[in-house]
Amino acid sequence: MRQLETGYSKWLDYIGMDELGARAEELQGRPFTHLPELVKVLREQQAIHGPISPVLESKLDALADGEAFTMVTGQQVGVFGGPLFAVYKLLTVLKRAKQAEIKLKKPVIPIFWMATEDHDYAEINHVFVRQPLSRQLRKEALSTVPLAGKASVGELEFDRLKIELVQMLQRLLLSEAETAYTTMLYPELIDLIQASHSFAEFFGRMMRRFVGEDFILFDPHQPAVRALGRDMFKRLITDHDRLNTALHDAFEDGMPHVELNREAAHLFYHDGTRELLTKQDGLFTTKRGHRFTEAELIRQVETYPERFSNNVVSRPLMQDFLFPTLAYIAGPGEIAYWLQLRPLFHVFDWKMPLVIARLGAVLVSANDEKKLAQEGVTLIDYLMEPLPDHAFDEEEFDQSLYAYRTLTEVIGREAGKHGHRFDAKARHVLERLADEMRVEAKRDQYRLNSRRIHLSTRLLPMDAPQERIWSMVPLMNRHGLDLFKRLYDVYEQTEVERCLVKL
């Protein structure tokens, strides 16, 4: 957040939570006439994922009346909740929405925008699993399904993968030590798998069950949502040239580098698969040969809004059209491209919402702390410079046996004075003893490496932050099914961007 408010401030319309009031005033000057219908859709969607709290129900009433604001975050709908940073984004939006309510004295609803319009199946179909005696975690991935990588995730078959998901869960838990929580966690997750009929449902049910009831799970990949976005789709088409000019000129020195398609029309057209629209010589075209004039494309939107969806550039604009959005909670990669989007908001005479960095965490158990102490390093030192494996040096071990080898020679010669067979037998016994010493030395090395492998996989898995590798399941198996509700309590008490959580 500090980097956003200092180094990147000139590319933001609002800087930090102190400017919430100014953003709220701007939103109150904009019409959101579709809110009653949007709230109806939100309620229908929540019924799929599980009940929401009475407090959130009343906030939805306020939103329908234009008397509430929203804060939004989002992520792809990874199996078993995806990487931990998805949960951290959700916990952050809960925290910031609560702070905004206190400041503005109006209801603020946390929204989690599930990226069901995304097509990247490889991003959502896997978890990482520990392997014995290895720092490397194994990627457990679901098999492919028809149209994977071509159609939106919201269109992919889910039910055919349920057996694979159960098997994935079994392998995930078998790679962990059984705990007092395992026998409770396993049947709950099985029930969630069986009750779900899409990746969005499974993800949403995970978040509702294990994080809480005070946020909205929003699925944009539904006909009713596309119909509500009809007017925005039209504006993206009619203002295409102005938007593309703004995006072409958006990057400035000092911005973090990120690849954005600056030639696209920033809309997808759905006709069995998802096709990106581009504009060439006055026509909107796709690679599969669709060709539309602007008027023809507008008629398509008017008649078939479900055939259109947003890309990474237009999604934030659609978000700002649908919701009275105070702020977006972003990860580092998202911040990089959001900084280039401000001129696009200005095309519509809007300002860009606050962009707020998500919070993170370092989760450390008592066992982790014990092993760090045994290694004589602090957590900070370890995260800065992880400890490598102890290598077993055969040559060094052989050198350590020099005196023993000398003694073996002496004993062999003395025994040989009584016959050759005594020389051979003495040498055989002593060599076998040397082999046993070598085995024991390797056992000692294994014990040392086992400790270091534990620290590596728990604290810095595959040399990456925990939140990018671990999923919710192993953590709940170790520390309880209420872990992420407890973690929210920690978030409530801190403003540290990456807080230490002792479990």
Side-chain angles (χ1 to χ4, degrees):
M1 179 179 280
R2 287 190 295 273
Q3 173 103 24
L4 266 173
E5 295 178 2
T6 55
Y8 298 151
S9 61
K10 64 180 178 179
W11 299 302
L12 302 173
D13 282 326
Y14 300 101
I15 303 168
M17 295 284 286
D18 289 341
E19 299 199 1
L20 276 171
R23 174 62 174 173
E25 187 176 345
E26 182 213 341
L27 290 172
Q28 286 172 330
R30 285 171 48 190
F32 290 91
T33 56
H34 58 270
L35 285 178
E37 190 62 30
L38 177 60
V39 168
K40 180 181 177 183
V41 171
L42 294 178
R43 283 199 161 104
E44 290 170 353
Q45 292 189 356
Q46 304 324 293
I48 295 170
H49 305 300
I52 60 176
S53 69
V55 171
L56 186 55
E57 286 279 8
S58 67
K59 290 180 183 179
L60 285 175
D61 290 338
L63 182 63
D65 293 336
E67 295 298 325
F69 298 108
T70 65
M71 276 197 178
V72 183
T73 192
Q75 191 58 43
Q76 293 156 312
V77 287
V79 293
F80 297 105
L84 286 178
F85 63 74
V87 187
Y88 295 167
K89 291 172 85 172
L90 178 51
L91 296 178
T92 305
V93 79
L94 282 163
K95 174 186 175 73
R96 298 303 182 201
K98 187 173 183 180
Q99 291 174 329
E101 280 191 335
I102 294 170
K103 186 174 182 66
L104 300 175
K105 297 180 173 56
K106 292 193 84 170
V108 179
I109 300 175
I111 307 282
F112 193 99
W113 184 298
M114 298 186 291
T116 49
E117 295 178 319
D118 192 272
H119 75 290
D120 199 342
Y121 180 65
E123 286 290 322
I124 68 162
N125 73 341
H126 64 275
V127 294
F128 287 98
V129 176
R130 288 179 61 230
Q131 300 184 95
L133 306 180
S134 176
R135 290 173 180 257
Q136 287 297 116
L137 278 67
R138 184 178 72 253
K139 181 188 277 191
E140 287 277 349
L142 299 172
S143 62
T144 191
V145 293
L147 299 180
K150 297 179 180 179
S152 299
V153 166
E155 297 173 0
L156 299 182
E157 291 184 63
F158 180 83
D159 288 345
R160 66 187 291 166
L161 295 170
K162 287 184 176 181
I163 293 176
E164 284 190 48
L165 282 164
V166 171
Q167 293 169 338
M168 178 184 284
L169 173 61
Q170 291 170 343
R171 289 191 290 270
L172 188 54
L173 289 175
L174 284 171
S175 72
E176 296 284 317
E178 185 171 348
T179 69
Y181 309 112
T182 308
T183 54
M184 295 181 286
L185 179 60
Y186 178 73
E188 287 223 27
L189 291 171
I190 293 296
D191 288 346
L192 292 182
I193 292 170
Q194 296 300 343
S196 302
H197 299 286
S198 69
F199 287 99
E201 278 190 48
F202 185 34
F203 181 92
R205 289 175 186 273
M206 286 282 298
M207 295 300 172
R208 183 68 76 226
R209 168 61 184 87
F210 298 115
V211 181
E213 301 175 346
D214 291 314
F215 52 88
I216 293 295
L217 292 151
F218 177 64
D219 182 357
H221 190 75
Q222 291 194 358
V225 175
R226 301 277 174 77
L228 288 174
R230 183 187 278 118
D231 287 346
M232 188 61 197
F233 287 138
K234 292 178 185 177
R235 295 186 71 178
L236 290 167
I237 293 165
T238 57
D239 286 316
H240 167 273
D241 295 348
R242 293 173 63 206
L243 289 167
N244 268 32
T245 298
L247 187 60
H248 269 283
D249 298 338
F251 184 79
E252 297 180 16
D253 290 341
M255 284 183 174
H257 183 72
V258 64
E259 290 293 332
L260 288 174
N261 186 337
R262 300 177 193 276
E263 307 303 324
H266 310 302
L267 286 176
F268 288 101
Y269 183 74
H270 295 254
D271 184 21
T273 59
R274 193 182 79 148
E275 305 170 57
L276 184 63
L277 286 162
T278 58
K279 188 176 182 182
Q280 296 177 327
D281 301 324
L283 293 176
F284 291 87
T285 65
T286 71
K287 287 185 177 180
R288 290 185 61 194
H290 292 288
R291 295 166 64 85
F292 304 99
T293 65
E294 181 179 298
E296 288 170 340
L297 200 58
I298 292 292
R299 283 197 295 273
Q300 284 277 319
V301 169
E302 187 63 45
T303 309
Y304 308 109
E306 68 278 4
R307 293 183 180 178
F308 295 84
S309 67
N310 300 285
N311 78 342
V312 68
V313 170
S314 60
R315 191 200 64 76
L317 299 170
M318 179 63 77
Q319 169 190 298
D320 222 53
F321 170 81
L322 289 174
F323 294 100
T325 307
L326 292 169
Y328 183 76
I329 308 301
E334 291 173 306
I335 290 170
Y337 72 77
W338 267 82
L339 293 175
Q340 298 186 45
L341 299 184
R342 184 175 67 155
L344 281 69
F345 284 85
H346 295 176
V347 167
F348 300 121
D349 295 323
W350 302 340
K351 289 187 177 181
M352 188 167 75
L354 281 76
V355 180
I356 299 174
R358 70 161 171 83
L359 301 178
V362 179
L363 308 179
V364 183
S365 69
N367 194 20
D368 299 334
E369 291 187 294
K370 177 182 176 182
K371 285 178 165 52
L372 286 169
Q374 289 170 336
E375 290 288 353
V377 296
T378 66
L379 174 63
I380 292 175
D381 288 340
Y382 183 85
L383 293 176
M384 295 292 290
E385 190 172 348
L387 299 172
D389 285 350
H390 294 280
F392 188 78
D393 192 326
E394 296 279 359
E395 184 176 341
E396 182 180 343
F397 181 78
D398 286 337
Q399 290 175 354
S400 72
L401 293 181
Y402 177 79
Y404 182 82
R405 297 293 187 196
T406 303
L407 179 62
T408 299
E409 285 295 323
V410 172
I411 292 175
R413 285 197 299 271
E414 286 299 312
K417 292 177 181 180
H418 301 282
H420 177 69
R421 66 190 182 93
F422 293 107
D423 178 10
K425 188 170 184 178
R427 290 177 185 274
H428 174 73
V429 170
L430 293 170
E431 283 297 327
R432 190 169 69 181
L433 184 59
D435 289 341
E436 291 178 8
M437 288 189 282
R438 186 184 303 275
V439 169
E440 187 59 32
K442 288 184 175 180
R443 281 201 190 100
D444 289 340
Q445 184 223 25
Y446 161 76
R447 282 190 284 269
L448 290 172
N449 279 344
S450 176
R451 189 163 66 212
R452 292 193 172 188
I453 289 170
H454 170 98
L455 290 171
S456 173
T457 56
R458 294 295 179 91
L459 302 179
L460 210 60
M462 298 196 293
D463 296 322
Q466 294 168 326
E467 61 212 44
R468 295 201 166 276
I469 303 298
W470 283 119
S471 60
M472 299 170 71
V473 175
L475 274 297
M476 291 192 293
N477 181 63
R478 298 168 200 164
H479 305 294
L481 278 65
D482 65 342
L483 171 63
F484 297 103
K485 295 177 181 178
R486 287 185 278 129
L487 186 56
Y488 175 66
D489 294 336
V490 176
Y491 267 44
E492 285 276 270
Q493 306 301 318
T494 184
E495 288 295 331
V496 178
E497 290 184 28
R498 200 172 179 214
C499 60
L500 172 63
V501 182
K502 295 188 177 184
L503 301 170

